[in-house]
């Protein structure tokens, strides 16, 4: 590995299309969890495309777990900024369970060795561990401070081959974490917006709505 790869931005759709009552914390977390899982998968794809070794199996899922834990805890900071602690608890709990479920189902299918419930329990334990690790770092209107992202970069690097670790930290700090956080913040902002988004004619015809 000789340097940090550039960005190819993924597109995320994150607005409700049907009018109705304000969405609950659990509903928003469910939609956000699906988006966050896609963002983490995209980051992994980009890292592999840049030449980092993340073969199918344990290394692949270790990387995903760290990325999902980081984004879950970033989402928790966003929820905290709303100033409603009860809403935050419901949202973060549902989010961790949603992304943990996606991860666990994939692990059980592809790795075996444990049940989805067992893998999910390990992910929740990782989220709790990283919550303590990231607790001393600030979240501002611009997102996580540098120390927050740097700590995350080292956590990700620890899942990778020794010869990739130094460059991986730079890749995560400079490219993957900022991109992922930016996408997630935009997605959650869209999901929190109560106004339904108008469908394009092609989308309405395709979905029958």
């Amino acid at each position: 590995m000789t340097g940090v790869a550039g960005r190819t931005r993924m597109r995320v759709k994150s607005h409700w299309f049907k009018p109705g009552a304000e969405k609950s914390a659990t509903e928003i977390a469910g939609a956000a969890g699906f988006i966050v899982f896609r963002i983490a998968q995209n980051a992994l794809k980009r890292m592999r495309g840049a030449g980092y070794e993340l073969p199918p199996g344990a290394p692949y899922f270790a990387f995903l777990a760290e990325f999902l834990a980081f984004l879950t805890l970033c989402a928790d900071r966003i929820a905290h900024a709303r100033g409603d602690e009860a809403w935050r608890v419901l949202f973060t709990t549902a989010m961790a369970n949603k992304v943990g479920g996606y991860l666990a189902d994939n692990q059980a299918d592809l790795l075996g060795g444990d049940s989805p419930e067992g893998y999910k329990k390990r992910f929740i334990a990782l989220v709790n561990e990283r919550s303590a690790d990231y607790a001393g770092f600030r979240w501002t209107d611009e997102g996580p401070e540098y120390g927050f992202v740097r700590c995350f970069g080292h956590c990700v690097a620890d899942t990778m081959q020794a010869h990739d670790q130094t460059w991986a930290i730079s890749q995560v700090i400079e490219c993957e974490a900022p991109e992922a956080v930016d996408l997630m913040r935009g997605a959650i902002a869209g999901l929190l917006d109560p106004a339904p988004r108008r469908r394009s004619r092609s989308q309405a015809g395709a979905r029958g709505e």
Side-chain angles (χ1 to χ4, degrees):
M1 187 57 54
T2 59
V4 176
R7 300 186 181 188
T8 302
R9 189 176 181 84
M10 71 177 285
R11 297 181 65 186
V12 171
K13 295 180 180 179
S14 59
H15 287 79
W16 307 104
F17 288 102
K18 294 182 179 180
E22 182 179 350
K23 300 298 186 290
S24 69
T26 301
E27 288 175 310
I28 293 171
F34 174 76
I35 293 169
V36 161
F37 193 75
R38 284 187 56 219
I39 293 171
Q41 286 180 310
N42 185 64
L44 189 149
K45 180 180 178 181
R46 284 160 37 120
M47 293 286 285
R48 294 172 84 176
Y52 295 96
E53 291 186 40
L54 287 162
Y60 178 99
F61 286 110
F63 177 98
L64 273 184
E66 286 291 353
F67 226 99
L68 291 170
F70 170 72
L71 290 177
T72 297
L73 292 168
C74 286
D76 177 64
R77 298 296 184 94
I78 294 172
H80 175 69
R82 285 172 56 88
D84 184 335
E85 188 61 21
W87 193 97
R88 175 194 184 187
V89 170
L90 287 173
F91 173 83
T92 304
T93 301
M95 177 91 154
N97 277 284
K98 179 62 70 171
V99 298
Y102 288 135
L103 180 69
D105 287 343
N106 279 272
Q107 285 176 300
D109 287 343
L110 299 176
L111 295 181
D114 203 350
S115 66
E117 292 77 14
Y119 281 118
K120 184 176 177 181
K121 185 177 293 186
R122 293 182 201 179
F123 175 73
I124 298 300
L126 176 66
V127 172
N128 290 330
E129 181 180 350
R130 293 293 175 254
S131 178
D133 293 337
Y134 298 144
F137 302 114
R138 293 186 305 115
W139 179 276
T140 70
D141 290 341
E142 287 72 44
E145 67 175 354
Y146 178 78
F148 197 152
V149 177
R150 184 174 184 275
C151 182
F152 169 55
H154 281 272
C155 290
V156 168
D158 285 345
T159 72
M160 303 181 71
Q161 301 290 326
H163 61 269
D164 277 341
Q165 289 180 348
T166 299
W167 284 113
I169 293 170
S170 297
Q171 177 78 18
V172 169
I173 292 173
E174 297 177 29
C175 293
E176 305 310 329
E179 173 87 355
V181 170
D182 189 44
L183 286 168
M184 186 199 68
R185 292 178 72 192
I188 292 178
L191 293 170
L192 288 171
D193 185 353
R197 185 176 180 178
R198 186 173 183 178
R199 261 192 214 285
S200 68
R201 187 172 300 175
S202 61
Q203 287 175 317
R207 298 281 298 267
E209 299 173 358

